[in-house]
Amino acid sequence: MQFIDLAAQQKRIRNKIEANILNVLNSNSYINGPEVAELEQKLARFVGVSYAIGCSSGTDALLMPLMAYDIKPGDAVFTTPFTFIATAEVIQLLGATPIFIDCEKDTFNIDIGKLEKSIEKVKREGTLKPRCIMPVDLFGQCADYDEINEIAKRHGLFVLEDAAQSFGAEYKGRRAGSLADVAATSFFPAKPLGCYGDAGMIFTDNKELYDKLISIRVHGQGVDKYNNVRIGINGRIDTIQAAILLAKFEIFEEEIQLRQNVAEKYSTGLSKSVGVPFVKKHNLSVWAQYSILHPERDKIILKLKEANIPTAIYYPKPLHLQDAFANLKYKQGDFPVCEELAREIFSLPMHPYLEEKQQDKIIRIIIS
Ligand SMILES: Cc1ncc(COP(=O)(O)O)c(C=O)c1O
């Protein structure tokens, strides 16, 4: 059994993927070929924003907006410690300071109740300048953007949505990627919409920001390619990856529905035995992961492994306890909710092609 069965998906659309790749080979347009603009237009429309900027990874899709807003040493960016390292890595890469906020026990997303207090504390202390809130839509469920945007407005901050895991999810009828000033997603192969390598995309309605991002994506280019106007990166998406994503996007909405079916079956079967995911009424999760909680996690994982059922732990060590962020001087006990989650959480196989009988087996083993 696969944790994420990319082969089953490929089998379905192999002809289309091959045809799309062949088109790129025939055109020899490997950088910024027409597939890139086509993908950007299609995904911007799907998300419901004016502009989409394809880029080299989800990490660069987070980094580039921070660069465009001139995030620098002395700036504070508020985010969650219960996420993949890329979220906070890009803040520190620019010399700014990640300020972690504990997460909610039920959704695992940033705890809004603690967010404003933390912003006020940083303001009071006066050493750092609050600039940005970076919520993460963990495991495919959106954070609470109406409230986050309100808080940001009150304090003059911008919001960068880390939608790396939530492309295709909905919040109050709006799509992930459209919920903040700017959003970043990832097309890492295991993501709900994944390519066959590294790629990502930025979404925004802000034309001025869009123009800056287009420049940052190619080494800070100006109107003239060899007169650069700012420091940028090589942040482009490969044409071949765009071509693959175009093929996969055709079946994406159907796959979102299939993911719902898988999640529902898990939750119905497991809710009496383990902690199952809680999705807020106004949210539609895209189930990047189906993660459950149990104090005896290791025993369950072992039993599943004996039956050749793969599992994964996202995330065994919250960011505030990782060596990479030792300079921030956080310690064990600073974020008790996420620390407890890290001890109990693990994820089950989750993809659109998981068969009912495979799920029955997983559920049976966990219950026993
Ligand atoms: C929450 C989150 N942010 C950012 C990223 C970075 O994306 P990428 O691996 O495409 O650079 C990931 C990828 O795993 C992620 O899960």
Side-chain angles (χ1 to χ4, degrees), residues 110-123:
I110 192 165
D111 186 336
I112 312 291
K114 293 176 182 149
L115 174 61
E116 189 154 31
K117 285 194 197 90
S118 177
I119 296 169
E120 281 163 356
K121 183 164 172 268
V122 171
K123 276 188 165 172

Side-chain angles (χ1 to χ4, degrees), residues 57-59 62 83-84 86-87 136 162 164-165 186-188 191 198-199 315:
S57 68
T59 306
L62 290 169
T83 176
F84 182 61
T87 311
V136 177
D162 184 342
Q165 302 182 7
S186 163
F187 301 128
F188 183 79
K191 294 287 189 267
D198 277 310
Y315 296 93

Side-chain angles (χ1 to χ4, degrees), residues 307-328:
N308 286 324
I309 297 165
T311 54
I313 298 178
Y314 303 111
Y315 296 93
K317 199 172 201 182
L319 297 188
H320 68 286
L321 301 177
Q322 295 202 15
D323 294 346
F325 298 105
N327 60 308
L328 300 173

